């Protein structure tokens, strides 16, 4: 249920990211991200080969959660979130991830750079209580239901300076 998922976020810092609306509100397509940074325009975690990374000159790793299947993903920059995945380990290991969340069809919003941490998995009861779209997405996009791994993602401040925000987090300055 939603409450059981939300309790896993308790105590994790939310950062207020101070950016102008001009920068904060930029949306991109998956096709743009694929052409610019490499990897599949469709995968949740697009794999970008070392040769392609060398040509493009970056070592970024990306996650593209869809709120229909991951309703507890961050919904604004700096907010922590949860990702529902199958398997015991995240395929990206502990690399920092640039997270872009789908907010409408083929429009993705950059949330920031996040670190993933394995957290308490969903119980079968919690999985059964998830919204049908979330459960069906997990069943059809993964070999097994996502009861085995729930991943916490938290924002990685980049050292530009921070201040406490009203909700107890820090703000970028």
């Amino acid at each position: 249920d939603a409450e059981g998922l939300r309790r896993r976020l308790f105590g994790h810092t939310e950062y207020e990211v101070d950016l102008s609306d001009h920068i904060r509100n930029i949306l991109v397509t998956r096709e743009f991200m694929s052409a610019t940074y490499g990897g599949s325009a469709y995968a949740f975690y697009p794999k970008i080969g070392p040769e392609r990374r060398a040509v493009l000159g970056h070592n970024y790793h990306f996650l593209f959660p869809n709120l229909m299947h991951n309703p507890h993903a961050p919904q604004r920059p700096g907010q922590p979130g949860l990702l529902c995945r199958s398997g015991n380990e995240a395929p990206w290991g502990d690399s920092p991830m640039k997270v872009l969340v789908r907010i409408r069809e083929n429009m993705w919003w950059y949330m920031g750079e996040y670190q993933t941490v394995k957290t308490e998995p969903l119980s079968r009861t919690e999985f059964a209580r998830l919204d049908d779209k979330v459960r069906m997405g997990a069943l059809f996009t993964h070999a097994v239901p996502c009861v085995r791994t729930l991943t916490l993602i938290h924002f990685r401040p980049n050292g530009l300076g921070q201040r406490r925000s009203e909700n107890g987090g820090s703000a970028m300055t």
Side-chain angles (χ1 to χ4, degrees), residues 47-124:
K47 295 178 181 151
I48 306 168
E51 302 82 18
R52 181 78 171 137
R53 287 181 187 281
V55 168
L56 295 171
H58 75 80
N59 196 32
Y60 303 145
H61 297 273
F62 298 94
L63 289 178
F64 291 91
N66 178 333
L67 292 174
M68 183 170 60
H69 299 151
N70 283 285
H72 296 283
Q75 295 184 31
R76 65 181 171 272
Q79 184 181 47
L82 293 167
L83 302 175
C84 196
R85 303 295 297 153
S86 63
N88 289 323
E89 299 298 326
W92 53 84
D94 57 3
S95 298
M97 307 301 295
K98 295 189 179 296
V99 175
L100 290 93
V101 173
R102 180 180 176 214
I103 60 165
R104 63 178 181 262
E105 188 171 343
N106 203 26
M107 286 286 112
W108 300 81
W109 187 16
Y110 180 61
M111 295 291 121
E113 188 168 288
Y114 283 73
Q115 188 68 46
T116 61
V117 179
K118 188 175 176 180
T119 189
E120 177 188 350
L122 292 175
S123 69
R124 292 191 185 281

Side-chain angles (χ1 to χ4, degrees), residues 156-170:
R156 289 174 40 102
N158 64 5
L160 296 175
Q162 298 142 24
R163 59 182 166 74
R164 297 310 262 169
S165 68
E166 293 176 15
N167 62 6
S170 296

